[in-house]
Amino acid sequence: MYHKIETLNEKELKKYQLEQINKILSAVKHTPYYAGKLPEYIDSFDTFAKIPFLTKKDLRDAFPYGLLSCPKEKLVRISASSGMTGIPTLSYCSEYDLNEYTKNEMLHLSHTGLCKNDIIQCMMGFNLFTGGWGCYHGSIGLGATVIPSGPGNTQRQIELLKQLKARYCFSTPGYLQHLLGNISDKDWEQMNLKIAMTGGEPLTKEFQKLAKEKYDIEIYNFYGMTEFSTHIASECNLHNGLHINENYFYAEIVDPETGDILPDGEYGELILTNLKREAMPLIRYKTRDITRIIPDKCICGRTSRRIEPISHRLDDMLIINGVNIYPSQIEECIFKCFSSVTNYLIKINTKNAIKKLNIDIEIPDDIINNENKINKLKEKLIKTLKSYITITPALNFVPKHTLPEIQGKTKRVKYI
Ligand code: AMP
Ligand code: ZN
């Protein structure tokens, strides 16, 4: 069953979204940060496109309450993400917002078939970050049973999966890789894990494929961020792009340099606007995430627009002696060559102004003593990496459990 908003035609949707944008513009006219900066009414999306972007720096400049758009007494929660400068980015939430986030999460979670009889082990964080909360409220909203286990403590997660037999889990892709790499065949037989939702960092197609083939786990990609406190888009069961919940978000893709709007199908930076939010509506927020709107409609029957899975942020790019590389490209290559999941770390060092790319990879126990197999795997991986990223990194195969354990978001790159 689809939500009404997921099957509107383009004309109906645009009309609804323009009305919502105008409601938001009128609601924020007294918000300290926006006051005097925005029109109170727009008559078209072309006029909307003239409104200046909002950036992470603006959010920090507005710290702590500059973006508060409702009386403080209405707040029921404040979340934060830690910024590089030390000033966190806050996200305030009123009771109205919490209810709407819950409805939004219910819509996304229902894409995966989650319902009343299901148990979901939520291995995202329950802290200042918004990580696990959306899954928590949305799952309860659908009548499912949530186990809020949070990230880390892998042996305990495994025991819970064996004892309580959750069919669903939610985590970062990195933590799911770590978890799967630590489940023995014997443990596996006692589990019922079939569906995983991942978010918070890029999910590669190669890992999604490997999880299905080797573990029979179907992974759904969820995209969200602290600034919006909830998920923005998620996959349907066809896994060909992430459906945006257009009830809550208006999405644009722009050229990150010029800010010009790009047509559907072209890659650029995702810009998001809240269509329903009381405490902190964000208008034309620059996410720094690169994606594109998939031009055609999904054959699942939903008419909602889809974004391509986000493979990187503008800030993620590694430049190795003039060659641009994204960590997710390296993961694609690793999971193309390995037959089970593994942990890896990208290390970059600079000597005489020349950068060198090194990759430490944990090798599965079954081949650690087989030099011939290791050499073959190395050779295959080097060849694949060369064809993807055009440079040849130094590969260092290490035994399992040598690299730092993954908990929440994965720190895959280290400068040495
Ligand atoms: P945070 O504010 O810590 O929740 O981080 C939000 C950022 O995580 C987003 O702007 C994206 O860069 C990244 N992110 C979240 N979900 C995904 C996803 N499904 N795929 C790729 N990147 C993601
Ligand atoms: Zn679909």
Side-chain angles (χ1 to χ4, degrees):
M1 246 245 305
Y2 303 153
H3 188 285
K4 191 173 136 233
I5 199 82
E6 294 187 290
T7 52
L8 290 186
N9 66 39
E10 198 177 333
K11 200 169 157 218
E12 290 166 331
L13 181 71
K14 286 242 155 107
K15 183 170 175 284
Y16 163 77
Q17 293 194 316
L18 201 57
E19 275 168 20
Q20 289 306 120
I21 289 177
N22 278 316
K23 280 188 196 162
I24 293 274
L25 287 174
S26 137
V28 301
K29 61 179 181 234
H30 300 302
T31 303
Y33 191 80
Y34 290 127
K37 291 195 182 112
L38 300 175
E40 271 182 43
Y41 176 81
I42 49 147
D43 56 0
S44 69
F45 286 104
D46 288 342
T47 324
F48 183 64
K50 297 200 173 85
I51 292 180
F53 298 118
L54 188 68
T55 64
K56 190 140 188 146
K57 182 180 175 303
D58 296 325
L59 263 55
R60 292 210 183 100
D61 290 348
F63 181 87
Y65 287 116
L67 276 156
L68 186 63
S69 304
C70 70
K72 229 185 248 173
E73 310 80 74
K74 280 193 155 189
L75 296 187
V76 295
R77 185 179 75 190
I78 299 179
S79 309
S81 76
S82 61
M84 287 189 297
T85 63
I87 300 174
T89 314
L90 297 185
S91 174
Y92 344 108
C93 168
S94 68
E95 191 180 347
Y96 167 87
D97 293 331
L98 192 60
N99 285 333
E100 296 300 325
Y101 295 161
T102 301
K103 285 191 236 162
N104 173 47
E105 293 294 332
M106 285 162 65
L107 179 136
H108 289 298
L109 290 165
S110 65
H111 288 173
T112 71
L114 182 81
C115 63
K116 216 169 156 2
N117 301 327
D118 289 308
I119 303 179
I120 174 164
Q121 190 157 315
C122 183
M123 304 183 281
M124 294 293 254
F126 290 91
N127 46 31
L128 258 186
F129 301 105
T130 45
W133 297 109
C135 167
Y136 178 84
H137 290 292
S139 303
I140 292 175
L142 288 173
T145 308
V146 196
I147 305 168
S149 58
N153 210 341
T154 305
Q155 264 324 303
R156 195 169 153 71
Q157 304 278 10
I158 293 175
E159 287 310 311
L160 287 170
L161 285 166
K162 276 160 49 182
Q163 293 158 345
L164 304 178
K165 305 219 183 302
R167 202 163 81 88
Y168 283 79
C169 73
F170 204 132
S171 75
T172 59
Y175 188 67
L176 185 62
Q177 286 163 15
H178 174 74
L179 179 81
L180 294 178
N182 280 281
I183 300 179
S184 67
D185 291 349
K186 199 160 152 272
D187 286 340
W188 195 246
E189 281 165 20
Q190 298 171 61
M191 292 184 186
N192 185 34
L193 192 59
K194 290 277 177 263
I195 297 171
M197 298 135 194
T198 68
E201 59 189 14
L203 165 69
T204 58
K205 282 277 169 215
E206 289 305 327
F207 173 47
Q208 212 166 5
K209 193 162 152 250
L210 187 61
K212 187 72 199 154
E213 283 169 5
K214 185 163 164 77
Y215 305 92
D216 194 23
I217 291 186
E218 184 175 5
I219 306 183
Y220 284 80
N221 194 349
F222 274 55
Y223 168 69
M225 71 189 72
T226 306
E227 292 91 316
F228 287 98
S229 285
T230 188
H231 288 106
I232 288 123
S234 64
E235 287 181 333
C236 68
N237 63 341
L238 299 177
H239 304 285
N240 53 8
L242 286 75
H243 286 274
I244 302 166
N245 185 349
E246 297 184 296
N247 200 4
Y248 294 100
F249 299 101
Y250 176 64
E252 300 164 273
I253 301 288
V254 304
D255 178 322
E257 300 292 325
T258 62
D260 294 342
I261 294 194
L262 298 174
D264 287 0
E266 281 190 32
Y267 281 93
E269 182 177 356
L270 178 67
I271 308 294
L272 291 170
T273 296
N274 277 121
L275 298 176
K276 277 186 175 184
R277 195 175 180 185
E278 186 178 41
M280 186 180 156
L282 297 183
I283 298 163
R284 304 203 83 211
Y285 183 65
K286 270 182 138 252
T287 63
R288 310 293 288 154
D289 292 322
I290 299 295
T291 183
R292 65 177 191 133
I293 302 280
I294 301 174
D296 48 354
K297 295 274 174 270
C298 184
I299 52 172
C300 72
R302 293 177 181 87
T303 53
S304 49
R305 294 195 299 165
R306 287 167 298 151
I307 49 170
E308 202 74 61
I310 282 140
S311 61
H312 63 269
R313 291 176 60 75
L314 279 168
D315 328 324
D316 274 351
M317 193 167 73
L318 309 171
I319 306 178
I320 309 287
N321 308 324
V323 181
N324 301 346
I325 299 170
Y326 292 101
S328 58
Q329 289 177 298
I330 293 178
E331 178 171 312
E332 292 268 341
C333 298
I334 294 175
F335 289 142
K336 245 188 170 33
C337 299
F338 277 61
S339 56
S340 55
V341 293
T342 193
N343 196 359
Y344 64 93
L345 183 68
I346 300 163
K347 297 197 297 198
I348 296 162
N349 65 320
T350 311
K351 204 172 168 192
N352 301 330
I354 304 280
K355 279 195 181 132
K356 198 162 171 228
L357 181 67
N358 309 268
I359 311 173
D360 287 358
I361 309 176
E362 291 184 359
I363 21 172
D365 289 337
D366 55 334
I367 63 161
I368 188 131
N369 295 319
N370 189 330
E371 212 173 311
N372 194 16
K373 278 196 178 160
I374 292 181
N375 287 339
K376 274 204 174 131
L377 191 57
K378 247 188 197 172
E379 212 176 286
K380 187 172 171 196
L381 187 52
I382 295 232
K383 229 170 136 185
T384 314
L385 282 162
K386 188 129 202 259
S387 73
Y388 265 64
I389 59 175
T390 70
I391 52 177
T392 310
L395 291 187
N396 179 28
F397 279 18
V398 298
K400 259 182 121 173
H401 308 298
T402 311
L403 301 177
E405 188 171 313
I406 296 158
Q407 295 225 332
K409 289 214 192 200
T410 324
K411 286 205 172 46
R412 293 291 195 193
V413 183
K414 196 173 162 189
Y415 289 85
I416 52 172

